[in-house]
Amino acid sequence: MRRKTRVVVTAIIGYFFGAVAAHACGGGKVIYQDDFKTLDPAWNAPDNVTAVNGAMSAKLVANVGLTMISQANLYTQPSIEICATYKLISGLGTANDSAGAAAVFWASGSTNFTQVEILPAAGTAKSSALIDNKWSTKVPPRSVAAESTAVGGTNDLDVVINGGRVQATVNGKPAVYVIGTPPASSWMVGLYFESPSSTATEWQVLNYQVREGP
Protein backbone atom coordinates (compact mmCIF):
# COMPACT_ATOMS: atom_id res chain seq x y z
CA MET A 1 0.00 0.00 0.00
CA ARG A 2 1.51 3.28 -1.07
CA ARG A 3 2.06 6.02 1.49
CA LYS A 4 -0.55 8.64 0.73
CA THR A 5 -2.39 11.45 2.38
CA ARG A 6 -5.62 9.68 3.30
CA VAL A 7 -9.01 11.16 4.02
CA VAL A 8 -11.65 9.09 5.79
CA VAL A 9 -15.30 10.10 5.80
CA THR A 10 -17.86 8.26 7.92
CA ALA A 11 -21.49 8.65 6.93
CA ILE A 12 -23.81 9.60 9.78
CA ILE A 13 -27.39 9.56 8.49
CA GLY A 14 -29.53 8.72 5.49
CA TYR A 15 -30.88 5.90 3.43
CA PHE A 16 -30.36 4.59 -0.11
CA PHE A 17 -32.95 5.08 -2.82
CA GLY A 18 -34.26 2.28 -5.02
CA ALA A 19 -33.04 2.25 -8.63
CA VAL A 20 -32.53 -0.04 -11.57
CA ALA A 21 -29.08 -1.63 -11.36
CA ALA A 22 -26.46 -0.67 -13.93
CA HIS A 23 -25.36 -4.30 -14.05
CA ALA A 24 -26.55 -7.63 -12.74
CA CYS A 25 -25.96 -8.11 -9.03
CA GLY A 26 -27.23 -11.50 -7.98
CA GLY A 27 -30.78 -12.28 -7.00
CA GLY A 28 -30.72 -11.59 -3.28
CA LYS A 29 -32.93 -9.03 -1.55
CA VAL A 30 -31.69 -5.46 -1.99
CA ILE A 31 -30.91 -4.02 1.43
CA TYR A 32 -28.82 -0.96 0.52
CA GLN A 33 -28.71 1.01 -2.74
CA ASP A 34 -27.91 4.43 -4.20
CA ASP A 35 -29.07 5.75 -7.55
CA PHE A 36 -26.80 8.86 -7.35
CA LYS A 37 -29.46 11.20 -8.65
CA THR A 38 -28.34 13.49 -5.85
CA LEU A 39 -25.64 13.20 -3.21
CA ASP A 40 -27.19 11.22 -0.38
CA PRO A 41 -26.28 12.80 2.98
CA ALA A 42 -25.63 9.27 4.27
CA TRP A 43 -22.14 9.53 2.74
CA ASN A 44 -21.31 12.74 4.64
CA ALA A 45 -19.06 13.40 1.64
CA PRO A 46 -16.33 16.05 1.40
CA ASP A 47 -16.55 18.90 -1.12
CA ASN A 48 -14.61 17.00 -3.79
CA VAL A 49 -17.39 14.39 -4.02
CA THR A 50 -20.63 15.15 -5.88
CA ALA A 51 -23.54 13.18 -7.30
CA VAL A 52 -25.85 14.11 -10.17
CA ASN A 53 -27.71 12.36 -12.99
CA GLY A 54 -26.93 8.86 -11.79
CA ALA A 55 -23.20 9.21 -11.08
CA MET A 56 -21.15 9.93 -7.97
CA SER A 57 -17.92 11.79 -8.84
CA ALA A 58 -14.81 11.87 -6.65
CA LYS A 59 -12.03 14.24 -7.70
CA LEU A 60 -8.67 13.59 -6.06
CA VAL A 61 -5.44 15.56 -6.22
CA ALA A 62 -2.28 13.53 -6.80
CA ASN A 63 -1.11 11.03 -4.18
CA VAL A 64 -4.19 10.77 -1.96
CA GLY A 65 -6.68 8.13 -0.85
CA LEU A 66 -10.29 8.77 0.12
CA THR A 67 -12.40 6.35 2.18
CA MET A 68 -16.11 6.84 2.83
CA ILE A 69 -17.71 4.54 5.40
CA SER A 70 -21.50 4.48 5.44
CA GLN A 71 -23.33 4.09 8.74
CA ALA A 72 -26.71 3.95 7.01
CA ASN A 73 -26.85 0.21 7.74
CA LEU A 74 -25.17 -2.24 10.06
CA TYR A 75 -24.79 -5.77 8.68
CA THR A 76 -25.10 -9.00 10.62
CA GLN A 77 -26.11 -11.29 7.75
CA PRO A 78 -23.67 -14.19 7.18
CA SER A 79 -23.84 -13.69 3.41
CA ILE A 80 -23.69 -10.31 1.66
CA GLU A 81 -23.06 -9.24 -1.95
CA ILE A 82 -21.69 -5.77 -2.76
CA CYS A 83 -21.89 -4.53 -6.36
CA ALA A 84 -20.43 -1.30 -7.73
CA THR A 85 -19.76 0.05 -11.23
CA TYR A 86 -16.69 2.29 -11.44
CA LYS A 87 -15.73 4.59 -14.31
CA LEU A 88 -12.32 6.26 -14.52
CA ILE A 89 -12.73 9.76 -15.97
CA SER A 90 -9.10 10.94 -15.79
CA GLY A 91 -5.77 10.25 -14.13
CA LEU A 92 -5.10 6.63 -15.07
CA GLY A 93 -1.47 6.61 -13.91
CA THR A 94 0.91 3.79 -14.80
CA ALA A 95 1.04 0.06 -14.20
CA ASN A 96 3.37 0.71 -11.26
CA ASP A 97 1.39 3.67 -9.90
CA SER A 98 -2.25 3.20 -10.85
CA ALA A 99 -5.43 5.00 -9.87
CA GLY A 100 -7.57 2.67 -7.76
CA ALA A 101 -11.17 2.19 -6.63
CA ALA A 102 -12.45 -0.28 -4.08
CA ALA A 103 -15.43 -1.80 -2.32
CA VAL A 104 -15.05 -1.54 1.47
CA PHE A 105 -16.53 -4.09 3.89
CA TRP A 106 -16.05 -5.50 7.42
CA ALA A 107 -15.75 -1.92 8.63
CA SER A 108 -16.08 -1.41 12.37
CA GLY A 109 -14.94 2.20 12.04
CA SER A 110 -12.79 4.53 9.98
CA THR A 111 -9.54 2.80 11.00
CA ASN A 112 -10.66 -0.84 10.72
CA PHE A 113 -11.93 -2.34 7.47
CA THR A 114 -11.09 -4.60 4.53
CA GLN A 115 -11.39 -3.75 0.85
CA VAL A 116 -11.10 -5.18 -2.65
CA GLU A 117 -9.55 -2.71 -5.08
CA ILE A 118 -9.25 -2.51 -8.86
CA LEU A 119 -6.17 -0.88 -10.44
CA PRO A 120 -7.03 -0.25 -14.10
CA ALA A 121 -3.65 0.93 -15.43
CA ALA A 122 -2.14 -2.34 -14.23
CA GLY A 123 -5.19 -4.43 -15.12
CA THR A 124 -5.13 -5.94 -11.64
CA ALA A 125 -7.17 -6.35 -8.46
CA LYS A 126 -5.99 -6.75 -4.87
CA SER A 127 -7.24 -6.82 -1.28
CA SER A 128 -5.96 -4.75 1.63
CA ALA A 129 -6.97 -4.25 5.23
CA LEU A 130 -6.68 -1.26 7.53
CA ILE A 131 -6.44 -2.54 11.10
CA ASP A 132 -5.94 -0.04 13.91
CA ASN A 133 -5.00 2.51 11.24
CA LYS A 134 -2.22 0.31 9.80
CA TRP A 135 -2.41 -1.02 6.23
CA SER A 136 -1.62 -4.62 5.32
CA THR A 137 -1.94 -6.61 2.11
CA LYS A 138 -4.46 -9.45 2.16
CA VAL A 139 -4.05 -10.46 -1.49
CA PRO A 140 -1.32 -8.90 -3.69
CA PRO A 141 -2.24 -7.51 -7.12
CA ARG A 142 -3.44 -10.17 -9.55
CA SER A 143 -4.08 -9.76 -13.26
CA VAL A 144 -7.73 -9.72 -14.37
CA ALA A 145 -8.06 -10.23 -18.11
CA ALA A 146 -11.61 -8.83 -18.20
CA GLU A 147 -10.69 -5.54 -16.53
CA SER A 148 -11.02 -2.31 -18.54
CA THR A 149 -7.63 -0.58 -18.54
CA ALA A 150 -8.49 2.66 -20.39
CA VAL A 151 -9.62 6.10 -19.34
CA GLY A 152 -13.38 6.22 -19.84
CA GLY A 153 -13.76 2.50 -19.29
CA THR A 154 -16.11 0.98 -16.73
CA ASN A 155 -15.55 -1.96 -14.40
CA ASP A 156 -18.22 -3.89 -12.50
CA LEU A 157 -16.82 -5.02 -9.16
CA ASP A 158 -18.87 -7.65 -7.33
CA VAL A 159 -17.83 -8.84 -3.87
CA VAL A 160 -19.60 -11.86 -2.35
CA ILE A 161 -18.97 -12.29 1.39
CA ASN A 162 -19.83 -15.58 3.09
CA GLY A 163 -18.70 -15.52 6.69
CA GLY A 164 -14.92 -15.08 6.57
CA ARG A 165 -14.59 -15.95 2.88
CA VAL A 166 -14.77 -13.34 0.13
CA GLN A 167 -14.91 -13.89 -3.64
CA ALA A 168 -14.53 -10.84 -5.89
CA THR A 169 -15.15 -10.65 -9.63
CA VAL A 170 -14.47 -7.89 -12.15
CA ASN A 171 -16.78 -7.74 -15.15
CA GLY A 172 -17.98 -11.21 -14.29
CA LYS A 173 -14.53 -12.83 -14.17
CA PRO A 174 -12.73 -14.09 -11.03
CA ALA A 175 -10.43 -11.48 -9.50
CA VAL A 176 -9.35 -12.19 -5.90
CA TYR A 177 -10.29 -14.62 -3.14
CA VAL A 178 -9.88 -13.42 0.44
CA ILE A 179 -10.01 -15.24 3.77
CA GLY A 180 -10.38 -13.02 6.81
CA THR A 181 -12.17 -12.38 10.07
CA PRO A 182 -15.24 -10.13 10.08
CA PRO A 183 -16.07 -8.06 13.18
CA ALA A 184 -17.59 -10.10 15.99
CA SER A 185 -20.89 -8.23 15.84
CA SER A 186 -22.12 -5.93 13.06
CA TRP A 187 -20.11 -4.14 10.38
CA MET A 188 -20.41 -1.44 7.72
CA VAL A 189 -19.64 -0.96 4.03
CA GLY A 190 -18.20 1.88 1.98
CA LEU A 191 -16.14 3.16 -0.93
CA TYR A 192 -12.45 3.87 -1.46
CA PHE A 193 -10.63 5.87 -4.15
CA GLU A 194 -6.93 6.43 -4.78
CA SER A 195 -4.93 8.65 -7.14
CA PRO A 196 -1.43 7.99 -8.52
CA SER A 197 1.48 9.84 -6.93
CA SER A 198 2.06 12.04 -9.98
CA THR A 199 -1.40 12.98 -11.28
CA ALA A 200 -4.88 14.01 -10.19
CA THR A 201 -7.70 11.52 -10.73
CA GLU A 202 -11.46 11.57 -11.16
CA TRP A 203 -13.54 8.49 -10.45
CA GLN A 204 -17.25 7.98 -10.97
CA VAL A 205 -19.51 5.38 -9.37
CA LEU A 206 -22.52 4.58 -11.54
CA ASN A 207 -24.14 1.94 -9.34
CA TYR A 208 -23.88 0.77 -5.75
CA GLN A 209 -25.88 -2.04 -4.19
CA VAL A 210 -25.73 -4.32 -1.19
CA ARG A 211 -27.84 -7.49 -1.38
CA GLU A 212 -28.39 -10.57 0.68
CA GLY A 213 -25.87 -13.05 -0.62
CA PRO A 214 -26.42 -16.36 -2.37
Side-chain angles (χ1 to χ4, degrees):
M1 183 63 68
R2 299 193 298 275
R3 293 182 178 271
K4 291 182 179 290
T5 301
R6 301 190 182 274
V7 179
V8 176
V9 178
T10 303
I12 54 175
I13 58 173
Y15 58 92
F16 274 38
F17 301 15
V20 176
H23 74 278
C25 182
K29 178 184 176 182
V30 176
I31 49 180
Y32 188 41
Q33 183 167 311
D34 198 341
D35 60 9
F36 301 124
K37 291 181 179 178
T38 60
L39 185 59
D40 193 315
W43 292 109
N44 195 32
D47 292 342
N48 59 319
V49 176
T50 59
V52 64
N53 296 328
M56 173 189 278
S57 174
K59 297 180 180 179
L60 282 65
V61 299
N63 200 43
V64 299
L66 170 64
T67 307
M68 294 192 294
I69 305 296
S70 173
Q71 290 181 347
N73 278 341
L74 294 174
Y75 299 94
T76 58
Q77 296 90 337
S79 183
I80 290 291
E81 182 173 5
I82 304 170
C83 306
T85 300
Y86 298 96
K87 182 176 183 179
L88 183 62
I89 303 301
S90 62
L92 177 65
T94 68
N96 294 323
D97 187 22
S98 178
V104 170
F105 54 95
W106 289 347
S108 60
S110 61
T111 59
N112 289 277
F113 57 84
T114 303
Q115 64 182 28
V116 172
E117 182 176 5
I118 56 170
L119 303 159
T124 60
K126 67 178 182 179
S127 177
S128 304
L130 186 66
I131 305 299
D132 295 332
N133 214 30
K134 295 181 180 179
W135 285 102
S136 64
T137 298
K138 299 288 290 181
V139 179
R142 296 187 175 182
S143 295
V144 183
E147 187 170 339
S148 174
T149 59
V151 170
T154 61
N155 284 292
D156 295 337
L157 176 60
D158 290 4
V159 180
V160 177
I161 303 160
N162 284 296
R165 299 177 183 273
V166 180
Q167 177 67 62
T169 63
V170 177
N171 298 328
K173 301 299 182 180
V176 297
Y177 179 69
V178 184
I179 298 176
T181 304
S185 56
S186 58
W187 47 271
M188 298 170 284
V189 299
L191 293 164
Y192 175 80
F193 307 100
E194 187 170 86
S195 61
S197 60
S198 59
T199 184
T201 291
E202 180 180 358
W203 279 101
Q204 285 186 349
V205 186
L206 307 180
N207 174 68
Y208 189 89
Q209 289 187 27
V210 182
R211 289 177 176 260
E212 292 182 349

